[in-house]
Amino acid sequence: MDVKRRTFLHALGLTAAGTLLPGCDKEIRRLVPYILPDDEIVPGVADWYASTCGECDAGCGIIVKVMEGRAKKIEGNPLHPVNQGKLCAQGQAALQRLYNPDRLQGPLRRTGAQAEHRFTPVSWDEGLPELADRIRHTKGPVIMISRPLSGTLADVVSHFIESVKGSLYFYDPSPELPLRAAVRQAFGIRDLPAYDMAEADYVLSFGAPFLEQWLSPVSFGIAFGRMRQGRKNRRGHFVHIEPRLSLTAASADRWLPIRPGMEGLLALGIGHLLLSDHRSSLPAGRLPAYESLYGGVSLDDVAKHTDISQADIKGLAKSFAEADCPLAIGGGTACAHTNAFESHLAILGLNSIVGNINRPGGIRRYQSAGLATHPKVPWLSERRIKELAQALEETDQRPLLLLYDCNPLFSAPPTVPIQRLFDHASYIASFSGSLDESTVTADLILPDHHRLETWGDHVIGEASPHRAASLVQPVVVPLFDTRGLGDTMIDLTRRLDGSHSGPDSFPQLIKDRWQRFHTSHSSRAHEPFQSVWEDLLQQGGLWESTVTEQRLHLSSSAANYQPPQFDGEAVDFPLYFYPYPAPSLGQGRGANLPWLQELPDTMTSAVWGSWIEINPATAQAMGIQQGELVRIHSRHGSVDAPAVHYPGLRPDVIAMPIGQGHTDYGRYAARRGANPMTILAPLFDKKSGALAIGATMVRAEPLHVPGHLILLEKPGTTAGGGSDLISIERPRSSNART
Amino acid sequence: MEDKQGPPGEPRPHRWQMVIDLDRCTGCEACVVACHAENNIRLSGPREAAEGRAINWIRIERYWEGEYPDVKARFMPVLCQHCADAPCEPVCPVYASYHTPEGLNAQVYNRCIGVRYCGNNCPYTARQFNWFDPQWDPPLEQQLNPDVTVRQNGIMEKCTFCVQRIRQGKEQAEREGRPVRDGDITPACVQSCPTTALVFGDGNDPNSRVAIMAKSGRGFHLLESLGTHPAITYLKRLDE
Ligand code: SF4
Ligand code: SF4
């Protein structure tokens, strides 16, 4: 193990249970490896357990404060390589998922028609055989749609699906598939590489929302803080390009409002200048390939279509070329169009031209911990949903659908057509822990434990300079009659193949695999595993910083630039529609947690609802007042939401946060606000099949009634500053002492 | 920035201070949820929030500057400034708002009679009033932190610099027979902040990070002209 146990406890400011010196009257905080039996719980004393956050797929390490058997607070695990003691808003709010009043308390079977949403409780002894039976006798294929899984659970689930000859898909509302596809083509790797932002001194972001809920939010936050103020006399510069001044853009030194879908074209323009006006570090032999990619554009055209001036484009190219450690990074809006794949190739290529691959401050890749063995599971892109639905209908096969912890009926637009896939199913079973829009259609629900009640592990991928895997362990006794998905899968496998071989239980399987992993990897391989295991649990996992960097080569960036396609004629639908994930609600998954509902949106201070954003000039021209209800029409439907005058938005764009508009999903989420996904057109990124969420054109119709808009900020501070607090900062900035 | 010394006489072992680096703060609000979880801040719900009765001990203010396309947004985390000369203290008829020897502006909940003079007198709108009793839908209440009082209707409340965490840090040091180390004690917001925009420590320890950073050329205090002498120093954002 990398870290000595004592150092670790010291870093946490904790004492290990049982290691107290005699004479100390009362411990205050102690870190314990295992969940304690009742008779070892000391009233009023906090026990801390290490585990791994499951609110997103970043896999931050956590320590959980438990008093008298109840989880009180989640903090970051200070020694965990991903989040280094820090935690995002969602990660902390996981406590309200554990203690959510609307959690499913045990297995349920549907009674009556699907639309009635009526269920009766059943026991596990009824539910499990029923599902096994259904799977055994299904005529159609078994299809499982799951949130992305990692480590041992991913193996167990994929083996189960393999054993019933089914198909397993990972579904995530914004997995950045075009970026993944471009990385795969450019570098020939399947995982996303690391962006070494902490060491960069010029970050050029094409819509990448890295200071929001994107890829690995906490680690980007840490890197950003270092990039700005963590080095002596070296403050990294940051330029953000996006049609909207997002939460991420707000931290930029400069924001450039680009015309939607033109991110790739701008990258081509910059690349063109890098090759023609600046010295490229590319070997001469490789230049022609780049020249054919970037050479074909004219600066006039780029400026005209991107709506960014030639002077600005030249300025960007110059700064990028002159920086010691420039970094071009694309995501978010750059993934939102039909040409997203090509855009990302152009953006990634900028990094090669200036030679910052495999360098500090650039794009890097490391060897990951080989704990898991499962084959790569395909993503369920929106285009694949469409193809699946069509294929099943054409062959008249009725699938048996299994769902785990994802909600495609909420997050995929009806045009895709996700509903038809569900309607066509012969039987639906869900393992999710709450009644969201997808799970509510199920015939049978066998709910999983909450993350803080279960076992698991998480393998940290090639983006981490640590070979790391972290452990998930129960920190409280399960509140309800739920079961961990791993155990449910093992049980079903056994019922279906009728054998009693295989692992006894999921926790045992985890421990066995970690023992094997440990024996082949650790310097402590000679020690008895039980004591090592306790240390691993206490530390939260295994991480070694001595990891080899893998060489990355830009193999092929050949792609012809494609202009983006949009749905809707300009005469009827003159405005671009730009749905973006609400930073606090994580694509709607957080909408059932009251802390997140009441967390003011940083940019608007809105709580508990939806809104649309409109440039104040556009609003004035259309007579739309702040707070007034507006109906947004596309060719595919309409949504209503109150207007917020938003100064940081292109005048030809209407923006709207994604996350609200649930019809189910518990008391805090249901019937609140509107879901922008419901009006999107079925256009896809050509290569990856991801929904082009920025490709729908709309029209705005003021409804002349006030909408339900709750802003926490006092009127008068919305536009033009004018607050006392900030005006103090302004004059001082000119005469600040240094 | 001139270090303000406390009144002569009794030597003070600690003087708790915070530094907020606006060049690091990204407005992610991890600190806001951390504060709610630590301090049993009640849920207000949409109706009370619409009435302006939502409670946040720490908030991220956002200021728009300029006009499209040359528009900027700036963030400023605002919490109780724990002023050395706090305008909220002298106006309280029952001495519920007072200054501790360690530099905290404290609120004694069971003295507070809810006249709200302190709230009206705070130039930072850091104090908030409980217009109703808090309520948690079961089993959400199982999360409540037993180290922090749940405040009832009619009480004024605000940021305490997580005084319970300060106390625990001191007790832990005492048990181990050593002085409190720099970084041992972090209020919940500081602990969570991914970018390390928030730094907390003992201003009386000249080697503490907070004492060193407070001397930065970028430092300023909120509403300095009022002479409140806050315990929080802001470092200005560098983006001109
Ligand atoms: S980024 Fe936030 S939600 Fe994701 S794993 Fe980390 S703490 Fe959890
Ligand atoms: S956690 Fe830190 S970066 Fe995030 S809003 Fe709070 S002070 Fe700013």
Side-chain angles (χ1 to χ4, degrees):
Chain A
M1 210 174 327
D2 215 8
V3 182
K4 292 278 166 300
R5 174 159 164 203
R6 199 138 302 175
T7 337
F8 175 65
L9 294 169
H10 186 81
L12 293 176
L14 302 174
T15 38
T19 61
L20 289 176
L21 302 170
C24 294
D25 39 353
K26 196 176 157 214
E27 317 167 42
I28 299 142
R29 305 169 55 143
R30 51 182 193 172
L31 185 72
V32 282
Y34 280 116
I35 192 159
L36 289 173
D38 278 358
D39 57 348
E40 283 181 37
I41 290 175
V42 187
V45 171
D47 295 315
W48 291 75
Y49 301 88
S51 189
T52 309
C53 178
E55 288 299 302
C56 82
D57 303 312
C60 294
I62 55 175
I63 52 171
V64 187
K65 176 186 179 184
V66 178
M67 290 177 90
E68 286 148 52
R70 306 212 163 113
K72 298 297 180 186
K73 188 152 187 295
I74 307 178
E75 297 187 356
N77 182 342
L79 292 187
H80 197 280
V82 171
N83 57 316
Q84 302 163 39
K86 310 302 187 174
L87 216 58
C88 78
Q90 273 87 345
Q92 303 189 65
L95 285 176
Q96 290 199 325
R97 199 177 293 290
L98 173 67
Y99 294 123
N100 200 288
D102 300 317
R103 258 186 82 183
L104 292 176
Q105 309 202 350
L108 293 177
R109 180 191 287 142
R110 185 157 58 79
T111 49
Q114 208 180 54
E116 289 174 40
H117 296 180
R118 270 194 296 133
F119 296 91
T120 41
V122 291
S123 70
W124 284 92
D125 288 339
E126 295 169 84
L128 284 167
E130 172 177 325
L131 180 55
D133 217 48
R134 287 288 185 159
I135 293 175
R136 195 175 293 123
H137 295 117
T138 180
K139 297 206 177 64
V142 175
I143 296 176
M144 179 157 179
I145 307 176
S146 165
R147 71 174 285 182
L149 302 171
S150 177
T152 308
L153 186 59
D155 284 9
V156 168
V157 173
S158 27
H159 289 153
F160 168 72
I161 293 298
E162 230 167 73
S163 73
V164 298
K165 301 191 177 50
S167 326
L168 170 64
Y169 294 101
F170 284 166
Y171 175 77
D172 179 302
S174 57
E176 304 290 89
L177 294 183
L179 171 62
R180 289 176 197 273
V183 161
R184 194 161 175 203
Q185 162 138 350
F187 299 117
I189 59 172
R190 296 198 68 145
D191 273 358
L192 290 181
Y195 299 101
D196 188 7
M197 185 172 292
E199 293 301 323
D201 60 4
Y202 186 84
V203 176
L204 183 57
S205 159
F206 295 81
F210 61 86
L211 297 176
E212 293 157 60
Q213 218 46 31
W214 191 66
L215 302 182
S216 190
V218 176
S219 67
F220 273 117
I222 295 169
F224 181 79
R226 295 211 179 118
M227 188 268 280
R228 285 301 207 192
Q229 289 293 333
R231 300 166 293 185
K232 266 221 155 58
N233 305 323
R234 222 169 138 222
R235 174 183 184 271
H237 198 82
F238 164 35
V239 177
H240 190 80
I241 297 152
E242 185 179 344
R244 170 178 180 266
L245 196 156
S246 59
L247 183 62
T248 304
S251 290
D253 298 288
R254 180 114 198 262
W255 165 64
L256 291 168
I258 191 171
R259 182 170 289 134
M262 298 298 165
E263 291 82 1
L265 187 62
L266 179 65
L268 288 181
I270 295 171
H272 182 83
L273 290 170
L274 290 177
L275 291 171
S276 61
D277 298 8
H278 301 278
R279 209 157 40 95
S280 156
S281 58
L282 285 170
R286 298 186 53 210
L287 263 178
Y290 286 85
E291 273 159 359
S292 76
L293 175 63
Y294 294 97
V297 294
S298 88
L299 209 52
D300 273 352
D301 277 354
V302 175
K304 193 172 111 215
H305 294 299
T306 57
D307 205 10
I308 292 176
S309 74
Q310 291 207 19
D312 277 337
I313 301 171
K314 285 181 183 151
L316 293 177
K318 184 164 186 286
S319 312
F320 199 74
E322 288 173 358
D324 289 332
C325 301
L327 176 64
I329 174 170
T333 44
C335 280
H337 294 279
T338 56
N339 61 353
F341 169 73
E342 291 85 2
S343 298
H344 280 292
L345 281 181
I347 296 163
L348 287 169
L350 297 180
N351 294 295
S352 309
I353 299 181
V354 294
N356 73 339
I357 313 279
N358 286 118
R359 267 192 35 194
I363 296 185
R364 318 179 73 167
R365 179 188 176 223
Y366 305 91
Q367 196 182 359
S368 66
L371 187 72
T373 54
H374 64 276
K376 274 283 172 187
V377 175
W379 292 96
L380 187 64
S381 70
E382 286 80 1
R383 188 173 62 201
R384 201 180 307 235
I385 294 178
K386 189 174 176 177
E387 290 163 356
L388 261 179
Q390 275 167 1
L392 291 166
E393 283 170 1
E394 276 161 22
T395 53
D396 202 27
Q397 295 188 77
R398 295 171 47 86
L400 186 149
L401 217 54
L402 302 175
L403 288 173
Y404 176 61
D405 210 6
C406 63
N407 189 4
L409 277 183
F410 173 80
S411 27
T415 50
V416 157
I418 181 72
Q419 184 70 53
R420 266 169 41 206
L421 186 62
F422 276 68
D423 287 347
H424 206 61
S426 62
Y427 186 81
I428 302 174
S430 171
F431 307 104
S432 304
S434 50
L435 272 183
D436 60 30
E437 287 79 356
S438 304
T439 291
V440 88
T441 66
D443 298 280
L444 182 71
I445 308 171
L446 300 175
D448 184 25
H449 287 326
H450 182 272
R451 207 18 118 109
L452 297 179
E453 302 166 332
T454 200
W455 287 94
D457 49 20
H458 184 102
V459 180
I460 292 141
E462 295 167 356
S464 168
H466 293 80
R467 199 144 61 143
S470 49
L471 277 159
V472 177
Q473 67 164 322
V475 309
V476 292
V477 176
L479 266 72
F480 303 121
D481 185 22
T482 52
R483 281 200 194 169
L485 179 66
D487 278 320
T488 302
M489 289 283 129
I490 290 174
D491 183 297
L492 284 172
T493 312
R494 233 186 257 141
R495 284 173 196 273
L496 283 166
D497 67 12
S499 79
H500 289 276
S501 59
D504 285 349
S505 71
F506 189 66
Q508 188 58 44
L509 181 63
I510 299 254
K511 193 174 170 188
D512 290 349
R513 299 178 117 226
W514 276 72
Q515 180 157 14
R516 280 202 302 278
F517 177 59
H518 159 79
T519 330
S520 55
H521 281 84
S522 167
S523 51
R524 289 175 66 188
H526 56 281
E527 289 180 40
F529 184 64
Q530 187 57 31
S531 74
V532 175
W533 179 235
E534 283 178 24
D535 287 355
L536 286 169
L537 285 171
Q538 198 165 38
Q539 173 172 296
L542 178 75
W543 34 85
E544 301 162 323
S545 51
T546 50
V547 56
T548 29
E549 185 161 354
Q550 319 258 87
R551 298 304 300 171
L552 271 177
H553 293 292
L554 196 82
S555 46
S556 156
S557 56
N560 288 327
Y561 174 73
Q562 304 285 337
Q565 283 173 0
F566 292 93
D567 180 283
E569 292 300 322
V571 272
D572 296 325
F573 302 102
L575 297 163
Y576 295 97
F577 190 47
Y578 174 22
Y580 65 93
S584 56
L585 298 182
Q587 302 273 0
R589 186 179 148 80
N592 65 339
L593 309 181
W595 277 339
L596 300 183
Q597 283 282 2
E598 205 157 298
L599 188 64
D601 171 66
T602 316
M603 300 306 292
T604 60
S605 84
V607 293
W608 291 102
S610 285
W611 64 93
I612 60 118
E613 292 163 7
I614 184 166
N615 181 292
T618 315
Q620 204 187 8
M622 299 183 61
I624 293 174
Q625 307 293 320
Q626 168 101 347
E628 178 179 349
L629 199 62
V630 177
R631 181 162 295 164
I632 306 296
H633 299 269
S634 78
R635 288 207 311 134
H636 306 277
S638 65
V639 278
D640 296 354
V644 167
H645 291 184
Y646 196 93
L649 186 67
R650 285 179 62 89
D652 53 0
V653 174
I654 298 279
M656 183 170 177
I658 307 167
Q660 305 277 20
H662 285 275
T663 51
D664 290 280
Y665 203 31
R667 69 194 72 181
Y668 305 111
R671 295 169 298 283
R672 189 177 307 294
N675 183 1
M677 304 307 281
T678 54
I679 67 166
L680 296 191
L683 288 181
F684 309 100
D685 167 51
K686 292 220 178 50
K687 177 82 176 183
S688 67
L691 182 74
I693 69 166
T696 305
M697 303 298 292
V698 295
R699 158 177 95 240
E701 176 197 355
L703 296 181
H704 308 296
V705 289
H708 194 58
L709 177 66
I710 311 172
L711 302 183
L712 293 196
E713 90 186 335
K714 291 165 268 117
T717 52
T718 30
S723 156
D724 297 343
L725 298 184
I726 200 86
S727 60
I728 297 299
E729 187 197 1
R730 306 302 291 160
R732 282 195 63 88
S733 62
S734 49
N735 59 10
R737 278 179 284 154
T738 41
Chain B
M1 203 122 313
E2 206 52 43
D3 248 10
K4 187 178 175 284
Q5 289 304 318
E10 282 291 287
R12 293 189 302 183
H14 303 293
R15 189 163 46 118
W16 302 114
Q17 294 187 334
M18 190 184 284
V19 167
I20 301 183
D21 189 343
L22 301 179
D23 208 28
R24 287 186 188 242
C25 174
T26 61
C28 73
E29 295 190 328
C31 51
V32 180
V33 178
C35 177
H36 280 241
E38 173 73 27
N39 290 304
N40 299 337
I41 293 183
R42 57 134 214 244
L43 290 161
S44 299
R47 199 166 313 137
E48 299 297 335
E51 296 287 316
R53 294 170 177 183
I55 292 189
N56 288 295
W57 288 4
I58 178 168
R59 62 183 190 269
I60 310 300
E61 299 220 341
R62 182 269 303 114
Y63 302 92
W64 289 113
E65 285 180 358
E67 280 186 29
Y68 182 88
D70 297 311
V71 58
K72 261 189 186 303
R74 300 164 157 274
F75 300 134
M76 181 167 301
V78 181
L79 58 158
C80 170
Q81 304 286 304
H82 294 271
C83 310
D85 296 298
C88 59
E89 289 170 12
V91 296
C92 179
V94 294
Y95 307 102
S97 172
Y98 79 108
H99 217 68
T100 75
E102 298 192 350
L104 306 183
N105 171 256
Q107 179 76 359
V108 186
Y109 297 127
N110 54 16
R111 272 190 208 153
C112 175
I113 52 169
V115 293
R116 292 182 278 132
Y117 296 157
C118 57
N120 297 335
N121 231 33
C122 171
Y124 308 103
T125 17
R127 296 177 153 260
Q128 282 146 342
F129 188 66
N130 284 278
W131 292 92
F132 52 93
D133 280 337
Q135 194 200 319
W136 284 270
D137 297 332
L140 280 178
E141 81 292 343
Q142 297 201 12
Q143 176 275 325
L144 291 178
N145 181 358
D147 299 332
V148 175
T149 325
V150 170
R151 285 79 56 192
Q152 302 299 320
N153 183 4
I155 302 283
M156 214 63 191
E157 64 174 78
K158 61 159 203 75
C159 157
T160 66
F161 267 174
C162 287
V163 63
Q164 68 283 1
R165 294 171 70 111
I166 297 179
R167 198 179 53 237
Q168 281 160 6
K170 291 201 298 190
E171 283 173 21
Q172 182 89 14
E174 203 172 306
R175 257 181 352 97
E176 292 172 17
R178 55 166 177 85
V180 173
R181 291 172 302 230
D182 190 32
D184 266 1
I185 295 178
T186 51
C189 56
V190 175
Q191 197 287 324
S192 69
C193 175
T195 62
T196 322
L198 309 176
V199 174
F200 184 82
D202 183 356
N204 277 353
D205 168 4
N207 298 318
S208 68
R209 277 192 71 200
V210 79
I212 294 166
M213 289 175 73
K215 295 197 192 89
S216 153
R218 295 191 285 130
F220 69 97
H221 292 130
L222 282 193
L223 304 177
E224 194 136 24
S225 60
L226 297 181
T228 52
H229 300 110
I232 300 183
T233 304
Y234 288 80
L235 306 186
K236 102 185 157 62
R237 182 171 154 179
L238 293 170
D239 56 357
E240 270 86 9

